Amino acid sequence: QLQASGGGLVQPGGSLRLSCEASGFTLDNYAIGWFRQVPGKEREGISCISPSNSPTYTYYTDSMKGRFTISRDAGKNTGYLRMNSLKPEDTAVYYCAAAPTDVRCSLAEYEYDEWGPGTLVTVSS
């Protein structure tokens, strides 16, 4: 199972760090992806990181570059998404997911077979 946490209410320009903790399996062999969904819109991929046992590769969609940072801690079996300079349009439910791969990562949802229930991020003054 995956459990995303760390969401909440934050003012525009603020920061949050989301966590994605795995239980029942080891995340080392999985790429971690972060996705988000705004009510009424399709879920979109925003960032991913390669498995721990492969060269580090990260990917961000253009609107996240420079604001969001993805990372992982193998010892804690957890992935993270640090979000800075948050904007009202970042308001969404954020999901983490794990893809069993041994190379890089992608934001193709079909590659991810483990999903967490999501955590709500609200950016508002």
Side-chain angles (χ1 to χ4, degrees):
Q1 292 182 340
L2 289 176
Q3 181 64 54
S5 61
L9 174 64
V10 62
Q11 292 187 344
S15 299
L16 282 175
R17 188 181 76 161
L18 304 183
S19 298
C20 176
E21 183 175 7
S23 60
F25 70 102
T26 301
L27 268 180
D28 287 357
N29 299 328
Y30 290 75
I32 299 172
W34 286 94
F35 301 78
R36 70 183 185 184
Q37 187 169 25
V38 176
K41 294 188 176 181
E42 291 189 358
R43 187 163 57 193
E44 64 171 339
I46 57 178
S47 182
C48 67
I49 186 168
S50 53
S52 297
N53 57 5
S54 66
T56 300
Y57 170 82
T58 59
Y59 176 82
Y60 302 90
T61 54
D62 286 345
S63 60
M64 312 307 162
K65 290 180 181 178
R67 297 195 300 128
F68 291 9
T69 303
I70 192 170
S71 63
R72 62 192 302 157
D73 185 331
K76 295 183 178 180
N77 214 27
T78 300
Y80 303 97
L81 184 69
R82 177 70 178 184
M83 307 186 295
N84 296 327
S85 303
L86 284 163
K87 307 173 183 179
E89 51 265 42
D90 293 317
T91 295
V93 176
Y94 285 72
Y95 300 87
C96 66
T101 180
D102 57 358
V103 293
R104 307 181 83 178
C105 66
S106 82
L107 293 177
E109 290 197 17
Y110 69 86
E111 294 188 358
Y112 291 83
D113 60 7
E114 296 285 346
W115 290 81
T119 184
L120 176 64
V121 172
T122 304
V123 185
S124 174
S125 55

